[in-house]
Amino acid sequence: MAKIEPTVASPADASVPTTVTPAPTYGTPYVVGSATASPDAALLTEPRQLDQLSRIEEKAARIEEKFARYEAVLTRAEASLERSAHKVDAAAGTMDFAAIRGEMASLRDRVDATPRAATLFTTAVVTAVLTVILTILVLKFGVPGLFGGLLPR
């Protein structure tokens, strides 16, 4: 994109007569495009127009700088996103599916080796029955060396 810069001293087209008229005030009548302005008025307003043009150019330069900063930030963000995408792509490409299958098989073997509900229920019943029997024996005969039986024989 070509950048076109306005110039302050551009050559005027001699075929079209141009006059510079001062800005209107509320007390004086003003006709747009009137050629009644004096040459002194043209000299007085020209520096003001040049000053206004320079302010416009400064604002345009600030806007261009802001645009350049935003463009740099977006470029860095795009580069970061692209690096992340390459890393994800590389990680997905190097995944070892055979190792994952092996891990899943070993996990399945461990789950299969755990006791099922029937085994757990049987263990609970046997534990409860043995606990009751041992409690009755301790209450009847006591613990040798600590205390005697609490129930009559």
Side-chain angles (χ1 to χ4, degrees):
M1 182 169 135
K3 185 175 176 183
I4 301 173
E5 294 286 335
T7 58
V8 176
S10 62
D13 188 8
S15 64
V16 179
T18 58
T19 59
V20 178
T21 58
T25 60
Y26 290 106
T28 62
Y30 177 73
V31 179
V32 176
S34 67
T36 59
S38 66
D40 295 342
L43 293 175
L44 290 177
T45 58
E46 189 174 330
R48 216 177 342 156
Q49 288 176 346
L50 290 177
D51 186 42
Q52 186 178 10
L53 182 62
S54 68
R55 282 194 305 254
I56 291 171
E57 286 177 344
E58 287 174 6
K59 280 187 179 183
R62 284 196 302 264
I63 290 171
E64 286 177 359
E65 288 173 7
K66 230 182 233 187
F67 177 75
R69 283 195 301 265
Y70 285 130
E71 190 176 21
V73 167
L74 290 175
T75 303
R76 285 195 304 266
E78 182 183 6
S80 175
L81 184 63
E82 194 170 317
R83 281 193 309 271
S84 299
H86 284 301
K87 285 181 183 178
V88 168
D89 189 35
T94 59
M95 286 182 66
D96 188 11
F97 291 108
I100 292 174
R101 273 192 221 102
E103 289 290 326
M104 292 299 292
S106 66
L107 182 62
R108 189 175 301 114
D109 292 342
R110 288 182 63 190
V111 168
D112 289 342
T114 57
R116 300 289 186 237
T119 307
L120 293 175
F121 183 71
T122 305
T123 304
V125 169
V126 169
T127 303
V129 169
L130 285 176
T131 303
V132 169
I133 291 173
L134 287 175
T135 303
I136 291 173
L137 288 175
V138 166
L139 288 174
K140 190 165 190 163
F141 298 109
V143 178
L146 291 176
F147 61 89
L150 300 174
L151 295 177
R153 289 187 190 191

